[in-house]
Amino acid sequence: MAKGILFVVATPIGNLKDISARAIEVLSQADVIAAEDTRHTAQLLGHLGLRKNLISVHEHNEGDQVAPLRRLLDDGKRVALVSDAGTPLISDPGYRLVSALRAEGYEVTPVPGACALIAALSASGLPSDRFVFEGFLPAKTAGRRATLSLFVQESRTVIFYESTHRIKDALKDMQTVFGGARELVLARELTKTFETFFKGSIDQVSAFVDEDDNQCKGEFVLLLAGAVTESEPVDRVELAVDDLLKALLDQLPVKQAATLVARLSGVSKNDLYQRALTLKGE
Ligand code: SAM
């Protein structure tokens, strides 16, 4: 008998219309749905007009649930893994299950959809070509500051998840670790009625949350602008100039190579002539 498939299915992070057509199809065809919170998922299924066999897979029982789910797949069943909101495994249960089943050769396939960090990044206006996702910060100040300090020199956008209870303290610790001037985006209640984006310095974001009690309610993504390192672009230019010079010196006399690179880079012809001589070992 052919083995079953584990589908890792993303569900909405607020707006129920964000469920994909494929997610609905996979959920309706699933023999079993492995859910972080079966009552919560039963509500989503009710909204979709579906009634399904549910089993619970949460952070405290995930290890124990690998064996029963493996048996279902051995019996050829289609199993859908969902969390309470968004993409399973992203600050949610599922990693132990997926890694164990994949290591054993079972087919595991994603059904992509909502994910708070991607939704926040896509509309934040911060650089999105390179980013780091840290998930939830530690609950206590000392641990939180220690984690934040790892990102002081980070040049990529850094993304954190945060909850109502800790948002104010997390912002205060960011002020301490990064200083108040670094740019930060607070993305709150995404896809829901009170969706809010606030972009400003860490000081401004902190004041915004302190001054309005409503702004510390709900679910948050914090996106920190990367550190600007002065030396990096200069290093890159020097590297590019050297590379260019070396490539041209293979084909052209020193003077001609230096003249061409000077025209392309704006660096002085004399400096480049001297540099070219050094590179040629003359
Ligand atoms: N698996 C989810 C995902 O794909 O984004 C994340 C689950 S994690 C347990 C919950 C955290 O995600 C929240 O505390 C918040 O930081 C973030 N989050 C989830 N939904 C959100 C929303 N609608 N708006 C802002 N942040 C949200």
Side-chain angles (χ1 to χ4, degrees):
M1 178 197 290
K3 289 203 169 147
I5 302 173
L6 178 70
F7 295 89
V8 182
V9 182
T11 58
I13 55 169
N15 189 327
L16 292 180
K17 290 182 191 158
D18 287 336
I19 190 141
S20 74
R22 184 163 165 245
I24 296 173
E25 183 182 81
V26 166
L27 291 174
S28 65
Q29 291 173 354
D31 298 297
V32 173
I33 297 179
E36 181 183 7
D37 177 336
T38 52
R39 277 175 304 177
H40 186 99
T41 297
Q43 278 177 8
L44 173 70
L45 295 174
H47 169 80
L48 299 172
L50 300 173
R51 275 173 68 90
K52 288 283 161 184
N53 291 328
L54 292 166
I55 62 171
S56 88
V57 174
H58 50 69
E59 65 172 313
H60 303 295
N61 75 352
E62 194 178 331
D64 298 335
Q65 292 295 51
V66 175
L69 285 164
R70 187 192 291 117
R71 280 196 291 278
L72 286 168
L73 296 174
D74 286 340
D75 287 345
K77 304 288 188 220
R78 297 162 70 89
V79 179
L81 173 70
V82 298
S83 62
D84 287 354
T87 302
L89 281 80
I90 306 301
S91 297
D92 266 342
Y95 166 70
R96 271 176 287 172
L97 179 67
V98 168
S99 71
L101 293 176
R102 183 166 279 290
E104 293 168 26
Y106 289 90
E107 187 175 346
V108 182
T109 190
V111 181
C115 179
L117 77 106
I118 299 297
L121 181 64
S122 70
S124 69
L126 288 177
S128 54
D129 50 344
R130 295 155 65 241
F131 64 90
V132 189
F133 174 57
E134 179 61 16
F136 286 103
L137 286 163
K140 296 199 176 129
T141 292
R144 194 161 47 225
R145 288 188 183 177
T147 300
L148 289 172
S149 64
L150 301 174
F151 297 100
V152 169
Q153 299 294 334
E154 176 57 65
S155 61
R156 295 168 289 185
T157 299
V158 190
I159 307 176
F160 304 97
Y161 279 168
E162 206 36 275
S163 68
T164 299
H165 313 294
R166 295 203 274 265
I167 186 70
K168 286 188 178 180
D169 289 343
L171 289 169
K172 299 275 173 297
D173 287 340
M174 284 189 171
Q175 284 175 305
T176 305
V177 174
F178 302 112
R182 179 85 73 91
E183 192 171 40
L184 183 72
V185 175
L186 172 132
R188 171 178 161 263
E189 293 290 86
L190 295 167
T191 78
K192 305 184 200 175
T193 310
F194 296 107
E195 177 179 288
T196 309
F197 275 87
F198 186 90
K199 187 174 189 178
S201 65
I202 297 178
D203 282 347
Q204 288 168 329
V205 174
S206 187
F208 174 72
V209 171
D210 281 344
E211 282 160 16
D212 182 348
D213 274 351
N214 289 319
Q215 295 303 337
C216 59
K217 292 185 187 139
E219 299 187 283
F220 299 86
V221 183
L222 293 172
L223 305 100
L224 181 75
V228 178
T229 47
E230 296 298 332
S231 60
E232 196 182 329
V234 176
D235 291 342
R236 280 200 197 147
V237 168
E238 281 171 8
L239 189 68
V241 165
D242 267 5
D243 287 347
L244 208 53
L245 259 183
K246 277 187 217 153
L248 290 176
L249 284 170
D250 284 345
Q251 311 289 331
L252 298 172
V254 169
K255 194 168 166 202
Q256 228 177 321
T259 306
L260 265 178
V261 177
R263 202 181 302 156
L264 290 168
S265 66
V267 177
S268 111
K269 193 161 70 178
N270 279 345
D271 288 353
L272 288 168
Y273 185 77
Q274 294 305 324
R275 182 74 185 145
L277 289 178
T278 310
L279 288 173
K280 273 197 88 112
E282 286 176 15

